Amino acid sequence: MSKKKFIAWMTGAITSLIVAIAFPLLMSAPVTAQTPPPTPQVTTTVTSPSATASLRVYAAVSLLEALTDVENAYNNSTSTPKINFTNSLDSSGILLQNINYAPNETAGIPDVFISAATSQMTSLQTAEKLAAGWPQNIARNRLVLIKPNTPTAPAPTGNAISSFSTLVNSPPTRAGIRGIAIGSPSTVPAGEYARQVLTSTASGCGGGTYNTLLNNPLPNKLIFATNVRNVLSAVETKTLGGNVIDAGIVYATDKQVSTLVTQVGLAAPSTCLTTPIVYPEAVLNRTTNVTAANSFANFVATNTAARNALTNRGFLAP
């Protein structure tokens, strides 16, 4: 055997030996499982006795009542097919985590997604997870400052909490404000909108107080909730995570469903916000019910009955 052939033979033998040793190790190496996201907080169903299709809808929790109204309007319309709906509602950020969870994608869940901001929808669009022709904006909303009808004693002293810029303790004009509840800005669109309002120094906005409120020691500190309805609940019950809550920032539509809170401020969209409060809707390309998903989504986006169901709950036209 020549020297060159011997070297080639040895190289091949060594390579084969390395592969033989490494292959079982590679095959037995543990695969890191995707961490399951938080389960959406609210689940509702809307059914029809003449349904011939079923859909899973993920929607921002601020749409809780309106979504039921819209789905009933769809099944009562001339649109077909009639549908049994299973709805999962939470913050748009938590819903996005669930959409991106591999087992849900394999199972074709959800068929339709309605978020409370463009960022989550843009993420899915960039990842090419939306069906052709989507998203479309179906509604707008407004951001309001609310406080309990009766504060926890002793009540904050000085000038009343009356605007977004009046949330910082500043004796002698104000003292005793404890917690201000907002959604976590990283996953809750209402919380990100609240951050924008409190950061703004424009007239009628938050006076640039966001960082002060964020970094203050308790009392007089921002307390984060996992979705906007938990903010509403925190103001109604005057507590969140063991902290006394004196005010919170929610959508106008959330305030509309509560008799336990008082609205004391309304953020001007054109001056206080850097992004508009819009609700985009999309059919996902994973759906196995393409006809039903598009029929329903088009109804929500274009039908007068759907628009009326949304406006009756306080939402604005897109």
Side-chain angles (χ1 to χ4, degrees):
M1 180 182 296
S2 68
K3 185 177 181 180
K4 287 184 178 180
K5 289 184 178 180
F6 178 76
I7 292 173
W9 179 84
M10 286 296 295
T11 301
I14 292 171
T15 301
S16 298
L17 181 62
I18 291 172
V19 171
I21 295 172
F23 184 75
L25 296 176
L26 291 172
M27 292 301 292
S28 63
V31 177
T32 302
Q34 188 179 6
T35 302
T39 301
Q41 183 175 350
V42 180
T43 300
T44 64
T45 59
V46 170
T47 61
S48 168
S50 54
T52 57
S54 297
L55 288 181
R56 291 291 304 264
V57 178
Y58 279 11
V61 73
S62 51
L63 288 163
L64 177 58
E65 297 81 9
L67 184 61
T68 294
D69 295 345
V70 168
E71 290 170 347
N72 279 321
Y74 171 86
N75 279 332
N76 290 330
S77 73
T78 57
S79 300
T80 56
K82 302 309 177 188
I83 298 169
N84 288 331
F85 296 94
T86 300
N87 306 309
S88 297
L89 303 103
D90 209 319
S91 73
S92 298
I94 287 176
L95 294 176
L96 178 63
Q97 293 173 29
N98 278 269
I99 290 172
N100 287 329
Y101 186 45
N104 286 339
E105 188 153 13
T106 301
I109 300 171
D111 302 283
V112 176
F113 177 42
I114 309 174
S115 65
T118 58
S119 59
Q120 290 80 20
M121 198 65 75
T122 299
S123 172
L124 294 172
Q125 190 171 30
T126 301
E128 300 182 343
K129 295 186 177 183
L130 304 184
W134 303 100
Q136 295 185 39
N137 292 338
I138 63 164
R140 292 181 294 120
N141 214 332
R142 296 158 292 173
L143 205 68
V144 298
L145 175 66
I146 58 173
K147 64 181 181 181
N149 291 342
T150 305
T152 299
T157 59
N159 296 332
I161 297 173
S162 58
S163 69
F164 292 99
S165 61
T166 61
L167 297 176
V168 175
N169 283 336
S170 54
T173 57
R174 170 151 316 98
I177 300 177
R178 291 149 291 199
I180 299 96
I182 69 170
S184 177
S186 62
T187 55
V188 184
E192 168 55 21
Y193 298 133
R195 185 197 66 78
Q196 293 176 21
V197 171
L198 294 175
T199 300
S200 175
T201 56
S203 176
C205 305
T209 59
Y210 179 79
N211 285 334
T212 299
L213 292 168
L214 180 66
N215 297 318
N216 268 358
L218 288 173
N220 193 214
K221 185 178 177 70
L222 292 176
I223 309 298
F224 293 137
T226 58
N227 65 50
V228 71
R229 284 302 174 90
N230 288 341
V231 175
L232 176 64
S233 177
V235 180
E236 290 177 328
T237 61
K238 297 172 275 193
T239 184
L240 177 61
N243 303 288
V244 175
I245 298 299
D246 289 311
I249 300 176
V250 298
Y251 297 121
T253 53
D254 299 307
K255 163 59 187 76
Q256 186 169 305
V257 302
S258 177
T259 60
L260 302 177
V261 301
T262 301
Q263 179 178 320
V264 292
L266 173 66
S270 58
T271 55
C272 297
L273 292 163
T274 58
T275 54
I277 303 176
V278 296
Y279 287 72
E281 172 199 39
V283 175
L284 278 81
N285 58 18
R286 68 185 60 176
T287 181
T288 58
N289 301 294
V290 176
T291 299
N294 278 292
S295 178
F296 172 67
N298 282 316
F299 176 87
V300 178
T302 63
N303 191 277
T304 300
R307 180 66 47 80
N308 290 341
L310 289 163
T311 57
N312 288 343
R313 292 289 184 176
F315 291 90
L316 304 176

